[in-house]
Amino acid sequence: MTQSEAPPPTRGAVRSAVEALLRTCADLERRAAEDVAEQSQARAAQVTVEVGRARSAALTTQIEALTHQLDADLSDRLADLRHPYVTEIHALLALLAPWHGLAPLPALPPSPAGGALTDHFPNGFARDYVHDLLATVDRSVTLAGDVSAEVAAETEDSADEAKDLIGEHLPADLREEGLRMLRDHTCHAVERHGPHIATTAQLARLIWLKDPSGQEIWQLLPNGAAESSHWCGPVSGGFTSQAAMAKALAVFLRWAHDHAGSVNELITKYTKTKTKRFGIHVSAQLAGLVAGDTAGYRGTATTSKARTADWLAARERTMTYGAPPVYGVPYDTIAEGIDPGVTLAFKRIGKESWRLVTCYPVDRQNPENKRLEDLT
Amino acid sequence: MIPATENFKAYFGNGFHLADELPEFYVEACEEVPEMLAGDDDGSYRSFHDEFAVHIRDSSYAPWSEGDSQWIIDEWLRNVWYDAFGPEQPPGDPYPVPAEDWGTRRLTQYMLHAVNRRPELSSPGAPAWLEARGLTFADVAAGVEWSAAAESVSFRPAPEGWLERLHDLTARGLRAEQPGER
């Protein structure tokens, strides 16, 4: 895979370089530690033999001294290993800082003896960012463009079948209405978040904007870039079973009927006559969703608006230039979220008529969506 | 201005809040603005427009989480404003974005999602959206790659006196203090 003309440094390029360097550094450290551990085991074995020959108090001291020596060796080697990476990552973060509204970064502090990699960076923006990236360095994954190209789209039949099975988990009196919502042509809840979608397809959606349903344009280009008409934010994923996907829908439908008589009446009551879209947060608690009911991916270090924009810029650069792809972290929004639930997104199609567009798990309520329990 | 009115929340919650979660809702909300302003018989959309500008002026739209500073939120709102209303600056903005930055060194979420290198890959509404802003597909494609090199004016860090300005606005009751502002 070749890259087209080298792009000038951009937000996305800087962001990608920071993560690439950090990953390399973390990997080197792991190998250095393994190396030392090997030596340590060899020496320990030797010491054990000596202890066997002559038990003495002096030997105990010797073992302790050896341990300290090994620790010091590791620290020295780590400090040497880290130094060029730390310097370069810090310089790159300084380039990224203005996008976070920050003036020049504090200089690098003197290298701490030992300590974690994060301790090498000045307090605040740089250390927090490195911490955020390192937190998932062992769990994060990526997907090469040519592997994405091989990921098969889910067929329409499999989506239809998933809808039928979801319907079986809806209460009998709500089943027909629920199925009508999911089958409507304006709704793509199952096509994007259904339990039939393979994990790799969700990763390809996040990293390469590949539509899991195969309905939208996606093509890998000869230079390793890709073109797509599909849109996806910094998170992809959905429900792990038909039962899980039915939960929020069932609770919502029941609520609408109990409190307003119908879905249209409930939403119409809480919207202005001219607004055309409406988001409802059904909390995991209300829906009865538990850890394991949802699965997917989120972009690495996407814990704030500005960091998310960095990650999106990096992904855009991959799509445009075929630069190395970005990373995602496996994410169970229900298990890991701070106010988890499901967003039900509706669109107005008539004066008092609404259609479900999608429903997807979220790790917290979007503050501008309404909570179902407030729609009384 | 605090608190935000229900009118503002209703229209902001009409898709402008979902760019990351559901880009199509954001894009639709941006593309329907001319129609909404034209058919605004009760004036409620104009009120939304006016209050939007006030939140930018007063730094009164609170961050959604502690990871986002007020400056980042205000810069985000300036981008949403541009995506919605175009190059006319929000009235009273103390830190207006230079007009020539839009689509060149400053990219918005509409550009990121809805404007791709070819119209076939872009939102059907993108040509009209671009034309209303005097931009082309090529402009935005080039803007994706503007240089962050030292000689370029960078994206904007919070200006001198920013925290003092926030303290003053807070003292005047126009906004609520956010974590990390002292």
Side-chain angles (χ1 to χ4, degrees):
Chain A
M1 202 182 290
T2 55
Q3 290 181 24
S4 48
E5 72 280 9
T10 63
R11 183 177 199 170
V14 174
R15 166 63 176 76
S16 284
V18 167
E19 183 160 9
L21 284 170
L22 260 182
R23 299 188 77 88
T24 309
C25 188
D27 192 43
L28 277 174
E29 289 196 356
R30 196 176 316 125
R31 280 193 272 156
E34 282 165 10
D35 205 17
V36 171
E38 237 170 66
Q39 290 178 30
S40 165
Q41 275 169 11
R43 291 202 212 179
Q46 193 190 338
V47 168
T48 313
V49 173
E50 307 235 347
V51 170
R53 280 192 202 123
R55 294 175 179 279
S56 76
L59 262 178
T60 313
T61 320
Q62 201 182 327
I63 292 166
E64 275 174 11
L66 256 175
T67 311
H68 288 310
Q69 183 57 44
L70 285 168
D71 285 349
D73 282 356
L74 181 57
S75 295
D76 285 351
R77 287 172 65 175
L78 283 184
D80 288 348
L81 268 178
R82 281 169 172 173
H83 184 69
Y85 288 94
V86 167
T87 308
E88 186 60 25
I89 291 165
H90 182 259
L92 288 168
L93 285 172
L95 284 177
L96 213 47
W99 274 293
H100 292 251
L102 298 169
L105 292 187
L108 275 175
S111 283
L117 183 50
T118 38
D119 298 338
H120 289 259
F121 294 90
N123 239 329
F125 172 74
R127 186 177 295 184
D128 292 348
Y129 213 132
V130 167
H131 183 266
D132 204 352
L133 283 165
L134 284 177
T136 58
V137 76
D138 294 327
R139 294 190 294 129
S140 48
V141 289
T142 188
L143 199 65
D146 48 0
V147 178
S148 272
E150 298 302 316
V151 174
E154 307 300 341
T155 63
E156 219 175 307
D157 284 351
S158 67
D160 289 345
E161 192 187 342
K163 288 173 198 176
D164 293 343
L165 294 169
I166 291 163
E168 288 178 18
H169 293 277
L170 294 171
D173 60 320
L174 301 172
R175 185 168 300 147
E176 200 188 323
E177 184 179 7
L179 278 170
R180 201 165 55 237
M181 289 167 95
L182 294 176
R183 287 172 179 157
D184 193 276
H185 70 277
T186 51
C187 183
H188 49 60
V190 175
E191 284 75 5
R192 293 189 192 166
H193 311 289
H196 64 299
I197 301 172
T199 309
T200 326
Q202 291 292 4
L203 188 59
R205 178 169 193 243
L206 181 78
I207 307 287
W208 288 97
L209 296 177
K210 188 173 183 184
D211 176 11
S213 76
Q215 287 166 6
E216 296 190 60
I217 300 170
W218 191 89
Q219 190 188 349
L220 194 65
L221 303 176
N223 67 351
E227 54 181 34
S228 171
S229 62
H230 186 64
W231 298 339
C232 178
V235 178
S236 72
F239 302 90
T240 54
S241 68
Q242 290 95 12
M245 190 151 194
K247 286 180 183 175
L249 201 55
V251 166
F252 167 75
L253 288 169
R254 179 70 69 213
W255 186 281
H257 285 276
D258 287 355
H259 289 83
S262 74
V263 168
N264 284 335
E265 285 169 273
L266 180 79
I267 300 180
T268 301
K269 183 176 169 188
Y270 283 95
T271 46
K272 299 177 76 69
T273 53
K274 284 186 293 185
T275 50
K276 294 186 176 152
R277 283 161 294 278
F278 191 57
I280 299 174
H281 180 81
V282 183
S283 71
Q285 196 184 5
L286 211 54
L289 283 159
V290 295
D293 276 348
T294 61
Y297 295 92
R298 65 176 174 84
T300 48
T302 48
T303 49
S304 71
K305 263 194 189 305
R307 282 182 211 168
T308 298
D310 292 343
W311 185 89
L312 290 170
R315 182 177 69 181
E316 184 76 0
R317 181 170 168 271
T318 301
M319 295 291 294
T320 308
Y321 290 98
V326 291
Y327 283 79
V329 192
Y331 197 46
D332 176 346
T333 46
I334 299 299
E336 299 175 56
I338 53 170
D339 175 21
V342 169
T343 293
L344 296 176
F346 292 88
K347 189 185 288 191
R348 185 198 295 274
I349 56 132
K351 192 160 176 281
E352 291 183 355
S353 182
W354 295 80
R355 289 283 184 275
L356 180 72
V357 173
T358 187
C359 78
Y360 50 87
V362 291
D363 55 10
R364 57 174 296 190
Q365 179 207 358
N366 182 301
E368 300 293 0
N369 285 340
K370 299 274 193 244
R371 297 185 80 89
L372 183 60
E373 58 266 38
D374 294 337
L375 310 182
T376 52
Chain B
M1 111 178 227
I2 45 173
T5 63
E6 286 304 316
N7 185 68
F8 176 83
K9 292 170 77 67
Y11 284 121
F12 197 76
N14 196 25
F16 293 118
H17 64 311
L18 285 179
D20 281 343
E21 288 176 41
L22 191 55
E24 68 192 70
F25 267 33
Y26 182 78
V27 168
E28 287 172 11
C30 294
E31 290 177 353
E32 78 186 7
V33 169
E35 177 199 327
M36 295 296 276
L37 282 169
D40 190 29
D41 44 6
D42 63 356
S44 62
Y45 204 77
R46 176 55 64 173
S47 299
F48 161 64
H49 166 279
D50 295 348
E51 185 173 335
F52 200 146
V54 171
H55 288 304
I56 292 175
R57 186 193 72 196
D58 294 351
S59 295
S60 52
Y61 189 91
W64 290 355
S65 74
E66 284 197 27
D68 303 314
S69 66
Q70 187 67 56
W71 176 254
I72 287 295
I73 292 300
D74 291 356
E75 287 285 80
W76 166 61
L77 289 178
R78 288 184 181 95
N79 286 4
V80 178
W81 174 280
Y82 179 86
D83 283 348
F85 303 114
E88 170 220 354
Q89 283 167 352
D93 184 356
Y95 307 106
V97 176
E100 64 275 17
D101 282 8
W102 294 110
T104 54
R105 61 185 41 145
R106 190 163 172 125
L107 298 175
T108 65
Q109 302 203 71
Y110 184 92
M111 298 177 203
L112 182 75
H113 292 296
V115 185
N116 278 311
R117 72 194 99 175
R118 291 190 283 118
E120 311 87 271
L121 298 172
S122 305
S123 166
W129 186 93
L130 288 166
E131 196 190 344
R133 287 157 183 80
L135 295 173
T136 64
F137 283 97
D139 288 338
V140 174
V144 170
E145 284 309 322
W146 76 270
S147 170
E151 64 264 34
S152 303
V153 179
S154 193
F155 199 73
R156 312 198 303 178
E160 283 284 314
W162 168 245
L163 276 182
E164 290 72 18
R165 178 183 165 81
L166 289 185
H167 295 160
D168 177 56
L169 291 163
T170 306
R172 287 159 55 201
L174 298 173
R175 66 185 294 278
E177 183 167 296
Q178 302 300 320
E181 290 178 2
R182 290 285 157 181

PDB file of all heavy atoms in Angstrom, chain A residues 140-154:
ATOM      1  N   SER A 140      -6.612  -1.426  22.364  1.00  0.00           N
ATOM      2  CA  SER A 140      -7.083  -0.793  21.138  1.00  0.00           C
ATOM      3  C   SER A 140      -6.644  -1.579  19.915  1.00  0.00           C
ATOM      4  O   SER A 140      -5.627  -2.262  19.922  1.00  0.00           O
ATOM      5  CB  SER A 140      -6.606   0.655  21.066  1.00  0.00           C
ATOM      6  OG  SER A 140      -5.240   0.734  21.348  1.00  0.00           O
ATOM      7  N   VAL A 141      -7.447  -1.466  18.884  1.00  0.00           N
ATOM      8  CA  VAL A 141      -7.220  -2.250  17.669  1.00  0.00           C
ATOM      9  C   VAL A 141      -7.435  -1.358  16.445  1.00  0.00           C
ATOM     10  O   VAL A 141      -8.029  -0.293  16.529  1.00  0.00           O
ATOM     11  CB  VAL A 141      -8.203  -3.437  17.578  1.00  0.00           C
ATOM     12  CG1 VAL A 141      -7.863  -4.498  18.601  1.00  0.00           C
ATOM     13  CG2 VAL A 141      -9.645  -2.970  17.743  1.00  0.00           C
ATOM     14  N   THR A 142      -6.914  -1.836  15.322  1.00  0.00           N
ATOM     15  CA  THR A 142      -7.180  -1.125  14.088  1.00  0.00           C
ATOM     16  C   THR A 142      -7.478  -2.146  13.007  1.00  0.00           C
ATOM     17  O   THR A 142      -7.510  -3.358  13.284  1.00  0.00           O
ATOM     18  CB  THR A 142      -6.011  -0.206  13.709  1.00  0.00           C
ATOM     19  OG1 THR A 142      -6.413   0.604  12.605  1.00  0.00           O
ATOM     20  CG2 THR A 142      -4.756  -0.990  13.341  1.00  0.00           C
ATOM     21  N   LEU A 143      -7.704  -1.656  11.805  1.00  0.00           N
ATOM     22  CA  LEU A 143      -8.076  -2.555  10.712  1.00  0.00           C
ATOM     23  C   LEU A 143      -7.468  -1.976   9.440  1.00  0.00           C
ATOM     24  O   LEU A 143      -7.681  -0.806   9.119  1.00  0.00           O
ATOM     25  CB  LEU A 143      -9.608  -2.579  10.608  1.00  0.00           C
ATOM     26  CG  LEU A 143     -10.249  -3.733   9.863  1.00  0.00           C
ATOM     27  CD1 LEU A 143     -10.011  -5.056  10.569  1.00  0.00           C
ATOM     28  CD2 LEU A 143     -11.753  -3.477   9.723  1.00  0.00           C
ATOM     29  N   ALA A 144      -6.683  -2.797   8.747  1.00  0.00           N
ATOM     30  CA  ALA A 144      -6.073  -2.322   7.502  1.00  0.00           C
ATOM     31  C   ALA A 144      -7.160  -2.117   6.450  1.00  0.00           C
ATOM     32  O   ALA A 144      -8.198  -2.783   6.480  1.00  0.00           O
ATOM     33  CB  ALA A 144      -5.047  -3.333   7.010  1.00  0.00           C
ATOM     34  N   GLY A 145      -6.899  -1.211   5.536  1.00  0.00           N
ATOM     35  CA  GLY A 145      -7.873  -0.905   4.490  1.00  0.00           C
ATOM     36  C   GLY A 145      -8.233  -2.128   3.670  1.00  0.00           C
ATOM     37  O   GLY A 145      -9.408  -2.374   3.365  1.00  0.00           O
ATOM     38  N   ASP A 146      -7.211  -2.935   3.317  1.00  0.00           N
ATOM     39  CA  ASP A 146      -7.523  -4.097   2.471  1.00  0.00           C
ATOM     40  C   ASP A 146      -8.304  -5.162   3.236  1.00  0.00           C
ATOM     41  O   ASP A 146      -9.069  -5.923   2.652  1.00  0.00           O
ATOM     42  CB  ASP A 146      -6.255  -4.680   1.814  1.00  0.00           C
ATOM     43  CG  ASP A 146      -5.129  -4.883   2.808  1.00  0.00           C
ATOM     44  OD1 ASP A 146      -5.342  -4.564   3.999  1.00  0.00           O
ATOM     45  OD2 ASP A 146      -4.060  -5.364   2.413  1.00  0.00           O
ATOM     46  N   VAL A 147      -8.122  -5.196   4.552  1.00  0.00           N
ATOM     47  CA  VAL A 147      -8.942  -6.119   5.358  1.00  0.00           C
ATOM     48  C   VAL A 147     -10.387  -5.606   5.398  1.00  0.00           C
ATOM     49  O   VAL A 147     -11.339  -6.383   5.273  1.00  0.00           O
ATOM     50  CB  VAL A 147      -8.376  -6.260   6.792  1.00  0.00           C
ATOM     51  CG1 VAL A 147      -9.255  -7.179   7.623  1.00  0.00           C
ATOM     52  CG2 VAL A 147      -6.942  -6.784   6.738  1.00  0.00           C
ATOM     53  N   SER A 148     -10.536  -4.295   5.537  1.00  0.00           N
ATOM     54  CA  SER A 148     -11.878  -3.701   5.517  1.00  0.00           C
ATOM     55  C   SER A 148     -12.591  -4.021   4.218  1.00  0.00           C
ATOM     56  O   SER A 148     -13.803  -4.277   4.192  1.00  0.00           O
ATOM     57  CB  SER A 148     -11.797  -2.175   5.658  1.00  0.00           C
ATOM     58  OG  SER A 148     -11.808  -1.816   6.996  1.00  0.00           O
ATOM     59  N   ALA A 149     -11.825  -3.999   3.137  1.00  0.00           N
ATOM     60  CA  ALA A 149     -12.423  -4.266   1.828  1.00  0.00           C
ATOM     61  C   ALA A 149     -12.998  -5.677   1.771  1.00  0.00           C
ATOM     62  O   ALA A 149     -13.952  -5.943   1.047  1.00  0.00           O
ATOM     63  CB  ALA A 149     -11.381  -4.070   0.726  1.00  0.00           C
ATOM     64  N   GLU A 150     -12.415  -6.585   2.560  1.00  0.00           N
ATOM     65  CA  GLU A 150     -12.870  -7.978   2.562  1.00  0.00           C
ATOM     66  C   GLU A 150     -14.069  -8.215   3.479  1.00  0.00           C
ATOM     67  O   GLU A 150     -14.682  -9.275   3.439  1.00  0.00           O
ATOM     68  CB  GLU A 150     -11.734  -8.918   3.002  1.00  0.00           C
ATOM     69  CG  GLU A 150     -10.518  -8.913   2.074  1.00  0.00           C
ATOM     70  CD  GLU A 150     -10.885  -9.299   0.658  1.00  0.00           C
ATOM     71  OE1 GLU A 150     -11.658 -10.272   0.502  1.00  0.00           O
ATOM     72  OE2 GLU A 150     -10.438  -8.623  -0.290  1.00  0.00           O
ATOM     73  N   VAL A 151     -14.350  -7.240   4.347  1.00  0.00           N
ATOM     74  CA  VAL A 151     -15.470  -7.425   5.280  1.00  0.00           C
ATOM     75  C   VAL A 151     -16.778  -7.411   4.486  1.00  0.00           C
ATOM     76  O   VAL A 151     -17.088  -6.429   3.814  1.00  0.00           O
ATOM     77  CB  VAL A 151     -15.481  -6.311   6.352  1.00  0.00           C
ATOM     78  CG1 VAL A 151     -16.714  -6.427   7.233  1.00  0.00           C
ATOM     79  CG2 VAL A 151     -14.219  -6.381   7.199  1.00  0.00           C
ATOM     80  N   ALA A 152     -17.515  -8.517   4.578  1.00  0.00           N
ATOM     81  CA  ALA A 152     -18.742  -8.625   3.784  1.00  0.00           C
ATOM     82  C   ALA A 152     -19.847  -7.770   4.377  1.00  0.00           C
ATOM     83  O   ALA A 152     -19.976  -7.648   5.597  1.00  0.00           O
ATOM     84  CB  ALA A 152     -19.181 -10.088   3.727  1.00  0.00           C
ATOM     85  N   ALA A 153     -20.650  -7.179   3.508  1.00  0.00           N
ATOM     86  CA  ALA A 153     -21.818  -6.435   3.961  1.00  0.00           C
ATOM     87  C   ALA A 153     -22.876  -7.432   4.437  1.00  0.00           C
ATOM     88  O   ALA A 153     -22.971  -8.541   3.918  1.00  0.00           O
ATOM     89  CB  ALA A 153     -22.362  -5.586   2.826  1.00  0.00           C
ATOM     90  N   GLU A 154     -23.644  -7.010   5.428  1.00  0.00           N
ATOM     91  CA  GLU A 154     -24.757  -7.852   5.873  1.00  0.00           C
ATOM     92  C   GLU A 154     -25.855  -7.775   4.807  1.00  0.00           C
ATOM     93  O   GLU A 154     -26.126  -6.715   4.267  1.00  0.00           O
ATOM     94  CB  GLU A 154     -25.302  -7.345   7.217  1.00  0.00           C
ATOM     95  CG  GLU A 154     -24.261  -7.181   8.303  1.00  0.00           C
ATOM     96  CD  GLU A 154     -23.539  -8.475   8.663  1.00  0.00           C
ATOM     97  OE1 GLU A 154     -24.065  -9.560   8.348  1.00  0.00           O
ATOM     98  OE2 GLU A 154     -22.442  -8.393   9.243  1.00  0.00           O
TER      99      GLU A 154
END
